[in-house]
Amino acid sequence: MNKLDTTEPDRPPHAHGDGCGCRHTHHHHEVPPVRGGAASREHEINGHDHHHHDHGGGCCSSSSSAIAAGRAATYAKNDPPPEGASRVRYRIDNMDCPVEEQLIRNKLEAMPGIARLDFNLLDRELTVYHRLDDAQTIAAALDRLDMAPRFLEAGSVPAAAPSGLSAERKVLLAVGGIAAVGAEAISWITGEDGSWLVMVCAVVSLLSAGLPTLKKGWIALRNLTLNIYFLMSLAAGGAVIIGRWSEASMVVFLFAVAEAIEVLSLERVRNAIKSLASLAPETAEVRGGNDWLEQAVEEVAVGSRIRIRTGSRVPLDSRVESGRASLDQAPITGESLPVDKQSGDQLYAGSIVTDGVVEAVVTAVAGDSTLARIASAIQQAQSQRAPTQRFVDRFALFYTPAVVACAVVVVVCGPLLFGGTWAGWLYQALVMLVIACPCALVVSTPVTVVSGLTAAARHGILIKGGAFLEGGRLLKTVALDKTGTLTWGKPALTDAIAFGDMPVERAVLIAASLDEHSTHPIAKALVSGWRKRQPDAGLLLVEEFGVVNGHGVKGVIDGQTWRLGNHRLVEELGFRSPELEAQLAVLEEGGKTTVVLCADSGPLALFGLADTVRPESVQAVAALRSLHIEPVMLTGDNSATARAIADQLGIQDARGSLMPEGKQAAIAELKERHGAVGMVGDGVNDAPALALADIGIAMGAAGTATALETADVAIMDDDPRKVADFIGLSRRCASILKQNIALALGIKVVFLALALSGQATLWMAVFADMGASLLVVFNGLRLLGHFSAHGTRFRACA
């Protein structure tokens, strides 16, 4: 007979006698420690068959290796500080673009004693791990780059990053634009590009709109870095040398406009992330003696009693002590419908009370709330370079010098081989330099990746870095833990069969009245099932209640003795019959736990209880199949239970009787057979398998700090459909990244051809570069609205 296993992992094998009469035998297994310092624990519903499956290991496919490479790079960022290294943080207001990041990298990484650099472009923060006696040399190096670093005290919360475009910068940009247009107009009307009026307008434009670009170009040249600012400065300087003053001013002005638009686009992403962190109110209503006082959330200690009213946001993570309320948890878990909360339930900071009033006890300080951990994880994730970004950076490292070299060849060899003036060929070389600027390539990836990370967080999916956002598209198989992921993770009454003349509802009432006195999970499930069937009925009075050791319970109701227990109870009472045995066999083969209600005359009713499938799980499995991903179910339950649940979900590959190490072996075998594998579990019990999978996805992570810390992807609620949502987002992100690279390179190829044929002008080149940059930025920003724009789930790509 199938048995229900609800034993805690630190208990020895025993038989329950808790008032349910121990209908079920329990088994204990040692569980090894796992990643993140958490101990793994097995709490599957139904008994474990002790058969370990040795699937072996093996090498992974290329897709699996690609994810592993990204994982290694990402985890390198999450590692503790390098041994013996000190840590210093700076706010760098002048760092708002990957170009500045690369400039800083080139400068600092070449310094002896620098161990690691972590960048957060959105918050304009730089963290340096070093082994220097005096960190002042780091600040001095940043000052030489005109980065204006500001030291941040350890543990301090820095002020918000300044707005991307200051009022002064807007005014200077407007002045520069008017002057540049004026220079072009005067040059076109008079036909004199070297007149003093054109030169004055051009100089005004260069000094107002173009001075930041020219200054950064000089810094790049001084540090032997060939970046976009150097190329633009070179183009402007060359145009001035050959007397093209109006074009020099227009080149620099148009570049400044493109840069300003890119900054505003990044500001939009920054504000989207900040909106998550600012969901929690700044004050809480705290109990002080007999009064309720307004208090800043930073000052509220764990254990304080707070009150949250209708329409208010929950200020801190807390546990309900009294009252009932409905809460909108969408900002945290992505759930679309309000969730009812009562005494003992967890509240998350940032949730909105839509109806009711509750008093709650604070369980975490403001800086350690689930919301704060989510915001911190997003910031950490966006600071890490995704695989595509690393590729683009490497490409630009060789691409830019090659373009400069080609331009030099054009200037030197053009007049010698094809004739013409030196000034004419210099002009064509300058056009080539501007067109070939890698700006569009460099900015396309971070904007797209951060937009994807933010969209996922809004939807209740926390992705721990660009490596995993991009890696999701490579998954070929997804292994899903059964209990708590595909099923509810607790037994429920599924069958009630009456024998003889007794109405089935009467039998359920008698059984619930007996089990009301028990604390066993099966007993609680039976009572809960009765309440759903008969919400307005009351329980019957039970007299002479007692436990039948190892078999069940007994009691007297209305003068009649009743016994409620397992198959062995029926055998001991001598009530076996072919009809009963047939019914028991049907339920047990379906992976259900059976309970029999007996009177003195014999069995009168039979009940089946089992862990039931979540209503979303069928859609989740179907969604994975629609993405051409093979779903596999792994469980510690016996094979009959595993097969019964798998058949309901349409999963062909279902593996039962697996301990944590067995699941780990199954993941290794799946990787060898299929390639890249994702594992979906609870983040604790399944931690060994999550660690071995190419991407580990933890379910129900909102209330589990361990899952937030150790999982590669954390789904904040218990909706398994979001696994397919994540993979669909990953595929769309990859699609947009490919579009951006194709756009950036395609536009440059077309205009390079025009330049080589002498058809392109300098300002046309800037328009091409600016247009490519803006196209890829706006295309990447489309990911911010991925889930809102696609009302239906499971979109694979755009």
Side-chain angles (χ1 to χ4, degrees):
M1 174 178 174
N2 297 314
K3 301 172 282 293
L4 178 74
D5 185 356
T6 54
T7 310
E8 294 295 331
D10 55 351
R11 294 180 186 171
H14 70 286
H16 279 294
D18 63 352
C20 197
C22 182
R23 303 165 197 163
H24 319 284
T25 307
H26 303 265
H27 308 277
H28 167 62
H29 308 277
E30 289 297 326
V31 179
V34 296
R35 180 178 72 180
S40 178
R41 56 189 173 84
E42 183 70 48
H43 57 256
E44 303 278 4
I45 296 296
N46 288 317
H48 303 287
D49 294 338
H50 303 274
H51 305 295
H52 295 271
H53 301 266
D54 184 10
H55 300 289
C59 55
C60 309
S61 71
S62 58
S63 60
S64 180
S65 300
I67 300 179
R71 175 194 287 264
T74 301
Y75 283 162
K77 297 281 187 180
N78 294 332
D79 280 346
E83 188 175 350
S86 301
R87 175 177 178 268
V88 62
R89 277 197 311 156
Y90 296 100
R91 161 63 64 76
I92 303 178
D93 290 337
N94 291 345
M95 179 183 70
D96 55 10
C97 170
V99 178
E100 279 98 357
E101 176 187 333
Q102 193 59 50
L103 184 64
I104 294 171
R105 282 189 185 278
N106 292 346
K107 183 70 174 179
L108 295 187
E109 287 181 345
M111 290 173 56
I114 300 298
R116 193 174 88 199
L117 303 176
D118 286 351
F119 289 86
N120 183 340
L121 287 182
L122 290 186
D123 287 334
R124 301 183 187 182
E125 289 183 22
L126 167 65
T127 302
V128 182
Y129 294 95
H130 66 92
R131 299 186 182 92
L132 302 171
D133 296 330
D134 184 7
Q136 192 58 40
T137 56
I138 299 173
L142 292 170
D143 278 326
R144 286 194 293 273
L145 296 177
D146 194 37
M147 289 296 158
R150 283 187 289 146
F151 175 72
L152 296 175
E153 294 285 348
S156 66
V157 179
S163 173
L165 227 54
S166 64
E168 179 185 0
R169 186 172 175 183
K170 291 175 183 176
V171 170
L172 290 175
L173 200 58
V175 171
I178 293 171
V181 171
E184 279 285 355
I186 294 169
S187 174
W188 183 74
I189 292 170
T190 64
E192 295 286 336
D193 205 34
S195 68
W196 68 268
L197 199 54
V198 171
M199 292 169 62
V200 167
C201 288
V203 169
V204 170
S205 179
L206 289 170
L207 292 178
S208 53
L211 191 58
T213 299
L214 298 175
K215 190 175 181 181
K216 290 177 181 178
W218 167 246
I219 292 170
L221 177 62
R222 199 173 64 197
N223 289 276
L224 303 178
T225 300
L226 300 180
N227 62 21
I228 179 71
Y229 299 113
F230 167 74
L231 294 180
M232 281 296 171
S233 300
L234 187 61
V240 168
I241 289 173
I242 61 176
R244 303 285 188 106
W245 286 88
S246 60
E247 288 198 64
S249 62
M250 187 58 72
V251 162
V252 175
F253 167 68
L254 289 175
F255 176 73
V257 169
E259 197 175 34
I261 295 174
E262 289 168 10
V263 167
L264 291 175
S265 300
L266 288 172
E267 185 78 6
R268 180 183 171 191
V269 179
R270 181 185 294 119
N271 291 336
I273 293 177
K274 284 182 179 177
S275 67
L276 291 171
S278 61
L279 287 172
E282 297 180 355
T283 61
E285 196 175 0
V286 184
R287 184 67 175 265
N290 295 323
D291 299 321
W292 292 96
L293 308 171
E294 287 286 330
Q295 193 172 339
V297 291
E298 293 82 5
E299 301 172 2
V300 180
V302 173
S304 301
R305 194 179 185 95
I306 60 174
R307 180 170 63 184
I308 310 104
R309 308 171 191 241
T310 301
S312 301
R313 288 186 181 271
V314 178
L316 298 149
D317 281 7
S318 49
R319 186 183 62 256
V320 177
E321 283 291 300
S322 64
R324 298 173 67 95
S326 292
L327 277 85
D328 177 3
Q329 297 186 153
I332 312 298
T333 65
E335 293 168 287
S336 57
L337 298 176
V339 179
D340 291 333
K341 300 285 186 176
Q342 57 187 351
S343 181
D345 289 340
Q346 181 73 26
L347 304 180
Y348 303 119
S351 303
I352 306 168
V353 178
T354 58
D355 182 45
V357 179
V358 292
E359 293 183 17
V361 173
V362 176
T363 56
V365 296
D368 197 35
S369 68
T370 300
L371 185 65
R373 294 200 303 271
I374 292 171
S376 175
I378 295 173
Q379 288 175 345
Q380 186 180 31
Q382 65 85 21
S383 69
Q384 298 159 6
R385 291 187 292 174
T388 302
Q389 187 176 352
R390 289 194 297 274
F391 162 76
V392 167
D393 290 346
R394 287 195 300 270
F395 178 79
L397 191 64
F398 299 100
Y399 169 80
T400 307
V403 168
V404 173
C406 287
V408 171
V409 170
V410 168
V411 172
V412 174
C413 300
L416 298 176
L417 298 177
F418 303 103
T421 65
W422 175 85
W425 282 103
L426 176 60
Y427 183 81
Q428 294 305 320
L430 295 178
V431 172
M432 284 181 60
L433 284 179
V434 175
I435 290 173
C437 282
C439 191
L441 277 175
V442 172
V443 302
S444 64
T445 304
V447 170
T448 303
V449 169
V450 175
S451 296
L453 295 173
T454 306
R458 287 173 169 177
H459 191 57
I461 305 171
L462 185 60
I463 304 172
K464 303 295 283 295
F468 304 118
L469 176 60
E470 290 191 41
R473 69 184 176 87
L474 301 175
L475 294 178
K476 306 298 182 186
T477 303
V478 171
L480 302 108
D481 175 51
K482 178 186 76 69
T483 304
T485 300
L486 296 172
T487 65
W488 288 106
K490 54 187 178 182
L493 179 63
T494 59
D495 299 86
I497 304 167
F499 299 107
D501 298 330
M502 174 174 284
V504 69
E505 298 305 326
R506 175 68 179 177
V508 173
L509 175 60
I510 293 172
S513 300
L514 291 166
D515 265 345
E516 174 68 16
H517 298 270
S518 171
T519 59
H520 195 280
I522 284 292
K524 290 181 177 180
L526 203 154
V527 174
S528 176
W530 161 76
R531 286 201 176 99
K532 290 178 181 178
R533 288 167 172 258
Q534 304 175 37
D536 300 324
L539 291 169
L540 304 173
L541 177 64
V542 179
E543 299 175 314
E544 301 179 26
F545 177 82
V547 174
V548 182
N549 254 348
H551 297 82
V553 297
K554 64 178 180 179
V556 176
I557 299 176
D558 295 333
Q560 184 173 356
T561 300
W562 296 93
R563 292 175 178 82
L564 184 68
N566 57 21
H567 200 162
R568 291 191 301 274
L569 175 66
V570 176
E571 293 173 351
E572 186 168 295
L573 294 174
F575 291 153
R576 294 184 63 177
S577 68
E579 180 187 2
L580 177 61
E581 292 299 320
Q583 292 281 7
L584 286 168
V586 170
L587 294 177
E588 290 170 6
E589 286 171 6
K592 298 180 180 180
T593 298
T594 53
V595 178
V596 185
L597 177 66
C598 300
D600 290 336
S601 58
L604 295 182
L606 171 63
F607 307 101
L609 298 100
D611 187 12
T612 54
V613 170
R614 291 179 180 276
E616 307 91 357
S617 295
V618 174
Q619 295 177 351
V621 171
L624 288 173
R625 289 197 180 282
S626 72
L627 295 173
H628 306 291
I629 291 172
E630 182 66 25
V632 176
M633 191 177 78
L634 307 179
T635 179
D637 279 353
N638 59 59
S639 299
T641 300
R643 188 68 263 160
I645 296 295
D647 287 342
Q648 294 180 52
L649 297 172
I651 295 177
Q652 276 74 47
D653 191 350
R655 309 184 185 192
S657 305
L658 297 178
M659 292 301 294
E661 59 270 24
K663 294 179 183 179
Q664 194 175 25
I667 293 295
E669 186 265 332
L670 289 170
K671 290 174 73 171
E672 184 178 11
R673 188 197 307 174
H674 298 289
V677 174
M679 172 66 196
V680 185
D682 63 8
V684 180
N685 173 52
D686 304 302
L690 288 170
L692 183 62
D694 295 286
I695 296 182
I697 305 173
M699 298 290 296
T704 310
T706 302
L708 280 176
E709 292 165 3
T710 62
D712 305 324
V713 177
I715 294 176
M716 306 310 291
D717 61 1
D718 294 312
D719 190 345
R721 294 175 295 181
K722 289 183 179 177
V723 176
D725 286 350
F726 157 66
I727 296 171
L729 175 66
S730 175
R731 292 185 179 182
R732 187 162 185 243
C733 178
S735 173
I736 288 178
L737 287 173
K738 290 174 184 176
Q739 292 169 15
N740 284 347
I741 292 173
L743 277 171
L745 293 179
I747 290 174
K748 291 184 184 302
V749 167
V750 170
F751 277 84
L752 274 173
L754 290 174
L756 292 173
S757 64
Q759 302 299 312
T761 62
L762 206 52
W763 66 264
M764 286 172 61
V766 175
F767 264 123
D769 180 69
M770 180 180 71
S773 298
L774 297 184
L775 276 174
V776 298
V777 167
F778 292 140
N779 195 34
L781 287 175
R782 288 195 302 140
L783 271 185
L784 280 175
H786 173 74
F787 292 109
S788 57
H790 298 85
T792 55
R793 293 177 176 268
F794 321 128
R795 293 298 182 107
C797 60

